Amino acid sequence: DAGVTQSPTHLIKTRGQHVTLRCSPISGHKSVSWYQQVLGQGPQFIFQYYEKEERGRGNFPDRFSARQFPNYSSELNVNALLLGDSALYLCASSLWGRGTEAFFGQGTRLTVV
Amino acid sequence: SQQGEEDPQALSIQEGENATMNCSYKTSINNLQWYRQNSGRGLVHLILIRSNEREKHSGRLRVTLDTSKKSSSLLITASRAADTASYFCATDARRDDKIIFGKGTRLHILP
């Protein structure tokens, strides 16, 4: 079975640009969560979606948005990129969100220059 | 502020020794999970322990949970070079749908 897949693996963007990151969950999983991990820190929660509805949101500015599609895949969008947005962005899928094991993809390494 | 805080921040032990990492959290939780991360890539799920459980085992891993002290520990027995990684605890708070990670413990197994 395929695990959680994220694309692209690496990405370089310029300040002010927009970026879209994609995530495909494990087959049968209905919940997707997004995390930002800055070097040397633990992952910071950004969003959780379940059955295409937002279930949780972390302390991130409105420049960050996400959505979940009918096939349960998800996109994370970041507008007006800042240098501080450079990080590893991780996607995790689980059967139904809280209380169930979350499985992570390998992440997208975003560098903003 | 982050919910979970791991202790110690870094740990170096000889291969074959046991490694113990601790996690403290602040609010009531539904469950607590431990993850391993190699070289800043994806996290690997190790164990989930629910708030009504006190101990769980998986292979060489043993996790305990003390909800009265709001703390958990991860024990890795008979450590191997492949155990070198960062270990994170993540808590699922009862009050909301956020999963909060600590800053992690960097474990280095010496040959």
Side-chain angles (χ1 to χ4, degrees), chain B residues 88-103:
Chain B
F88 296 91
C89 68
T91 51
D92 180 353
R94 286 182 180 170
R95 63 181 181 182
D96 55 34
D97 283 319
K98 299 177 183 179
I99 297 176
I100 307 297
F101 282 80
K103 295 183 179 180

Side-chain angles (χ1 to χ4, degrees), chain A:
Chain A
D1 284 341
V4 179
T5 57
Q6 292 186 244
S7 63
T9 304
H10 295 84
L11 198 56
I12 299 175
K13 289 285 190 178
T14 304
R15 277 180 299 174
Q17 285 189 314
H18 162 271
V19 68
T20 297
L21 309 181
R22 295 177 174 83
C23 173
S24 293
I26 292 171
S27 177
H29 285 194
K30 298 183 178 181
S31 178
V32 169
S33 298
W34 287 95
Y35 295 82
Q36 180 195 66
Q37 186 177 25
V38 175
L39 191 64
Q41 300 291 316
Q44 295 283 319
F45 174 77
I46 309 176
F47 289 108
Q48 182 184 81
Y49 277 79
Y50 175 69
E51 288 281 14
K52 301 177 289 293
E53 291 191 0
E54 183 182 301
R55 284 291 184 87
R57 173 185 286 255
N59 296 325
F60 281 81
D62 292 343
R63 300 185 295 107
F64 289 76
S65 64
R67 55 180 175 169
Q68 186 177 32
F69 300 100
N71 66 353
Y72 302 110
S73 67
S74 178
E75 284 182 355
L76 175 69
N77 295 283
V78 186
N79 294 322
L81 286 166
L82 303 174
L83 295 179
D85 295 331
S86 295
L88 180 68
Y89 288 85
L90 295 162
C91 171
S93 80
S94 59
L95 280 171
W96 52 77
R98 65 186 313 176
T100 57
E101 299 172 5
F103 297 86
F104 283 78
Q106 289 301 300
T108 294
R109 175 75 64 185
L110 172 65
T111 301
V112 182
V113 297

Side-chain angles (χ1 to χ4, degrees), chain B residues 4-9 11 19-25 34 64 71-75 87-89 104-105:
Chain B
E5 292 290 340
E6 290 89 346
D7 171 56
Q9 292 186 356
L11 179 62
T20 300
M21 289 158 271
N22 302 295
C23 169
S24 59
Y25 56 92
W34 283 92
T64 62
S71 68
S72 174
S73 68
L74 170 67
L75 169 67
Y87 292 82
F88 296 91
C89 68
T105 292

